[in-house]
């Protein structure tokens, strides 16, 4: 059993290195403006992950944590990925905004799953503007 697993693992590693080697990188860019009209100051953190990465989620980039008393705050994140998990044909991207623009000041996290992006796309631009006030699941920290 162990031998079979080892062989499968080796075959998988070799094949995926060949796939990685062949692929050209994809550039990711996401930006937008966060809005918090009701509470101040407030803090936030924006992040973008590739969520089907074989060894756990792969964070592409993040912005923050920043705190501001302005109602509007622009963010901009970018990153590069080369290839994906073993046999996947696309990137699965998820963006998060965690913030404490909330009534009690607790941290909440808003999730946005973007469309799957084919590996053959070389440039991906995402625009996400969010009015964050009191939105999202409660979380313990900015991430
Ligand atoms: C987002 O990026 C685009 C293209 O680079 C730019 O035109 C736009 O002004 C940016 N928006 C924000 C809110 O930064
Ligand atoms: C958010 O957290 C910061 C830092 O802890 C705090 O100063 C601010 O008052 C909090 N904002 C709200 C709306 O509770």
């Amino acid at each position: 059993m162990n031998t079979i697993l080892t062989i499968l693992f080796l075959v998988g590693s070799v094949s995926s290195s060949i796939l990685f080697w062949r692929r050209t990188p994809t550039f990711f860019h996401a930006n937008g403006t966060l809005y918090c009209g009701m509470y101040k100051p407030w803090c936030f953190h924006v992040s973008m992950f590739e969520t089907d990465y074989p060894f756990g989620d792969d964070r592409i980039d993040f912005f923050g944590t920043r705190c501001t008393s302005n109602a509007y705050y622009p963010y901009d994140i970018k990153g590069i990925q080369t290839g994906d998990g073993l046999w996947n044909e696309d990137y699965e991207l998820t963006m998060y905004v965690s913030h404490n623009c909330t009534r009690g000041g607790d941290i909440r996290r808003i999730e946005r799953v973007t469309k799957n992006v084919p590996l053959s796309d070389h440039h991906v631009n995402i625009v996400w503007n969010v009015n964050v006030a009191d939105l999202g699941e409660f979380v313990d920290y900015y991430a």
Side-chain angles (χ1 to χ4, degrees):
M1 188 59 182
N2 278 340
T3 312
I4 293 171
L5 286 178
T6 307
I7 291 170
L8 286 178
F9 178 76
L10 288 176
V11 169
S13 307
V14 170
S15 316
S16 65
S17 347
I18 292 168
L19 292 179
F20 281 128
W21 176 67
R22 274 194 192 147
R23 281 175 177 154
T24 50
T26 301
F27 296 87
F28 294 92
H29 178 225
N31 70 354
T33 302
L34 306 181
Y35 176 74
C36 172
M38 279 193 276
Y39 313 106
K40 60 175 72 165
W42 57 291
C43 307
F44 69 90
H45 178 99
V46 183
S47 56
M48 186 198 276
F49 286 84
E50 201 211 329
T51 40
D52 64 348
Y53 202 70
F55 310 109
D57 292 349
D58 195 21
R59 186 164 73 177
I60 296 175
D61 194 20
F62 66 96
F63 184 95
T65 305
R66 300 281 173 94
C67 298
T68 181
S69 288
N70 297 338
Y72 292 94
Y73 207 100
Y75 70 90
D76 198 281
I77 58 183
K78 49 184 62 132
I80 300 176
Q81 294 282 97
T82 305
D84 194 4
L86 306 176
W87 315 112
N88 291 326
E89 288 307 319
D90 52 22
Y91 295 106
E92 288 166 26
L93 299 175
T94 305
M95 288 185 65
Y96 297 101
V97 175
S98 40
H99 66 90
N100 76 341
C101 176
T102 57
R103 183 180 308 279
D106 297 314
I107 305 169
R108 302 183 77 153
R109 188 170 78 161
I110 305 166
E111 174 178 334
R112 173 182 153 157
V113 179
T114 68
K115 279 188 301 226
N116 291 6
V117 178
L119 291 185
S120 54
D121 282 10
H122 298 312
H123 292 274
V124 177
N125 291 300
I126 295 165
V127 177
W128 188 25
N129 301 308
V130 209
N131 178 351
V132 300
D134 289 314
L135 285 185
E137 302 288 322
F138 290 100
V139 292
D140 292 330
Y141 48 87
Y142 296 94

